[in-house]
Amino acid sequence: MSSIAENIAAIRTRIRKAALEAGRDPSLARLVAVSKTQPAGNIRAALEAGQRLFGENRVQEAQARWQELRAEHPGLRLHLIGPLQTNKAKEAVALFDCIETLDRARLAEALAREMEKQGRRVPCLIQVNTGEEPQKAGVLPADLAALLAHARGQCGLEVGGLMCIPPADEPPALHFAFLAKLARAHGLADLSMGMSADYERAAALGATYVRVGTALFGDRPAA
Ligand SMILES: *Cc1c(COP(=O)(O)O)cnc(C)c1O
């Protein structure tokens, strides 16, 4: 087994254990392999290990590397986990199976237009800036209800849940619990939260997607 295959197996075991210990159905906590900036060989190793769900944070980088791989691997699913500019909505809708970073009305409108044009419905998650950090993407918690109503109502988007990236210097569990509470309040099923350092915590607190890069692939080469 490659070390990547071993890492995937170990991470899956940990996610499962964390979910079970928290009394959750472990099949609901899915591993998103964050492949941004990873060399092609690493991605191939993950595919060979059976991993089919991947996260990328840049539209162009993802396009360049996944267009071909996608044709070779039916069942592959790609999530966009980085900020999306409205002028890349077209490419994003064509490539991704889930856009986790919807965070403003204009983007919801651009995505809806593209989905209509392309005849392709891509489910979205709303990214919430739970730490209310000025430099961070995501809708402020106080504005979530309005964005959700706009995205679903006027735009007709399929919004299945919420995503967050907690502040680096705060206990992530507080933010995971907060995101879970927001999702419950709005009747949303999906929660994308948890990265290499804290995915077990997230799985225990209700994550349906954990996004793991470094712990799976090793350190990232610079972009
Ligand atoms: C890079 C990235 C991750 C993965 O981070 P690791 O710490 O390497 O696991 C998860 N989520 C988002 C949004 C990212 O950009």
Side-chain angles (χ1 to χ4, degrees):
M1 260 210 290
S2 73
S3 65
I4 287 175
E6 287 172 359
N7 291 346
I8 290 174
I11 293 165
R12 287 184 181 285
T13 302
R14 291 203 181 126
I15 293 171
R16 200 180 153 74
K17 183 162 180 276
L20 277 172
E21 282 175 3
R24 299 186 59 212
D25 173 354
S27 69
L28 296 180
R30 288 156 290 181
L31 171 61
V32 180
V34 176
S35 48
K36 63 186 185 194
T37 77
Q38 292 293 338
N42 284 357
I43 293 177
R44 218 160 283 130
L47 285 164
E48 274 161 25
Q51 180 67 29
R52 287 295 178 273
L53 175 56
F54 290 85
E56 288 279 350
N57 71 337
R58 287 172 192 226
V59 176
Q60 261 150 338
E61 184 193 343
Q63 255 185 326
R65 65 151 46 126
W66 282 107
Q67 252 159 6
E68 246 176 75
L69 285 172
R70 171 159 240 174
E72 296 165 21
H73 298 277
L76 188 80
R77 296 187 63 78
L78 286 182
H79 283 206
L80 178 65
I81 61 170
L84 178 59
Q85 295 173 307
T86 48
N87 65 8
K88 301 260 172 60
K90 178 179 175 185
E91 288 82 359
V93 165
L95 182 68
F96 290 100
D97 302 292
C98 175
I99 291 168
E100 294 199 8
T101 50
L102 174 59
D103 64 355
R104 58 201 189 278
R106 290 280 302 280
L107 180 59
E109 291 155 16
L111 287 170
R113 273 196 302 274
E114 271 309 322
M115 289 183 203
E116 174 141 21
K117 260 196 217 161
Q118 297 183 29
R120 180 176 154 79
R121 275 177 75 75
V122 182
C124 300
L125 305 182
I126 291 182
Q127 181 177 356
V128 183
N129 186 354
T130 57
E132 309 198 16
E133 296 171 281
Q135 82 287 4
K136 198 163 267 177
V139 68
L140 292 174
D143 300 331
L144 171 62
L147 178 60
L148 182 61
H150 184 73
R152 284 180 157 171
Q154 271 114 303
C155 301
L157 294 181
E158 189 184 314
V159 180
L162 305 177
M163 177 270 213
C164 77
I165 308 172
D169 56 354
E170 288 181 26
L174 294 178
H175 293 268
F176 298 158
F178 179 48
L179 196 72
K181 188 174 155 203
L182 288 174
R184 268 196 308 276
H186 292 287
L188 295 164
D190 277 323
L191 281 173
S192 173
M193 56 192 198
M195 320 204 307
S196 287
D198 48 29
Y199 66 86
E200 289 163 279
R201 228 38 209 295
L205 289 167
T208 60
Y209 297 111
V210 295
R211 311 177 306 265
V212 181
T214 340
L216 195 159
F217 289 109
D219 282 338
R220 262 185 298 280

